[in-house]
Amino acid sequence: MRQIIVSTFLTLDGVMQAPGGTDEDRESGFECGGWQVHASDEEVGEAIAGWYEDTEAMLLGRKTYDIFASYWPNADPDDPFTDRMNSMHKYVASRTLTSVEWQNSTLLEGDTVDAVRALKASDGGSISVVGSGDLAQTLIRHGLVDEYRLTIHPVIVGSGKRLFADGAIPTALEPVSIKATKGGTILAVYRPTGTPVYDSY
């Protein structure tokens, strides 16, 4: 059974939209794109590189696929992460794409939830959902996420797409590892453990 891991950058108020650029995703009038650039540090990059070491493939929604496919094939070849991103297998979930051209990419066919369930049941290593907010929320709603790897940055933007949006299924989590960088980013890994327990003090 393969593990589905959601890996994403978050603001302190839980927004995941457009961390890397001002024009990355302006949906719903979002004007805070690029919030992660100055709210990060070297330790964040090292942690992300480490998280990718045990990742065999990526699972991407259409928007994130388009962003990555336009950047990584032409990225600095001397950056070791460039080869890792290009050589890793990519599974793409989209209702609008009819083909995917980025090397080692496969367009999932049919219902996304069924396709991801089949991926989980196949042989192989872990699969990381990178960005892809709408896809991540679909997988969360259907109980398909095995682990969350989150970088929570010291910035508040006030609005935007959130990883855990209104209507998220209540879920208890266990911490796998928690670390704060010198720049104030929290590197947090959690695994779902079931339904929360409610009580009173």
Side-chain angles (χ1 to χ4, degrees):
M1 179 72 72
R2 305 176 78 172
Q3 301 286 297
I4 301 294
I5 299 169
V6 168
S7 302
T8 194
F9 306 124
L10 297 177
T11 65
L12 192 60
D13 54 335
V15 174
M16 64 182 299
Q17 187 170 357
T22 55
D23 294 320
E24 187 176 301
D25 180 3
R26 291 188 176 272
E27 187 175 333
S28 300
F30 188 67
E31 296 181 352
C32 298
W35 53 262
Q36 191 251 353
V37 177
H38 294 287
S40 193
D41 55 47
E42 187 174 300
E43 290 176 85
V44 173
E46 292 172 353
I48 293 168
W51 289 348
Y52 273 89
E53 285 180 1
D54 67 349
T55 299
E56 186 176 276
M58 288 186 289
L59 176 57
L60 306 172
R62 183 190 60 80
K63 286 183 180 178
T64 302
Y65 170 81
D66 286 344
I67 292 168
F68 282 14
S70 67
Y71 175 79
W72 286 109
N74 303 304
D76 182 359
D78 292 329
D79 181 346
F81 211 59
T82 298
D83 180 67
R84 182 77 174 116
M85 294 296 282
N86 287 320
S87 63
M88 187 183 302
H89 200 95
K90 280 78 67 174
Y91 298 101
V92 184
S94 173
R95 291 186 294 269
T96 57
L97 292 175
T98 57
S99 64
V100 286
E101 305 302 325
W102 186 16
Q103 67 182 86
N104 300 318
S105 294
T106 300
L107 185 63
L108 296 180
E109 297 181 356
D111 180 75
T112 295
V113 172
D114 290 341
V116 174
R117 284 198 177 110
L119 276 178
K120 280 176 65 73
S122 65
D123 294 330
S126 62
I127 301 171
S128 185
V129 181
V130 184
S132 308
D134 292 341
L135 172 60
Q137 290 189 25
T138 296
L139 302 181
I140 291 168
R141 285 195 301 271
H142 288 85
L144 293 173
V145 177
D146 299 291
E147 187 170 282
Y148 296 95
R149 296 179 180 178
L150 311 175
T151 65
I152 305 167
H153 298 266
V155 60
I156 295 170
V157 297
S159 65
K161 299 176 187 175
R162 288 175 165 79
L163 176 60
F164 303 108
D166 290 347
I169 296 173
T171 305
L173 304 170
E174 65 173 354
V176 176
S177 64
I178 308 290
K179 176 186 176 182
T181 71
K182 292 179 181 178
T185 295
I186 299 169
L187 309 173
V189 180
Y190 298 101
R191 290 186 185 132
T193 59
T195 305
V197 176
Y198 304 102
D199 207 336
S200 300
Y201 286 104

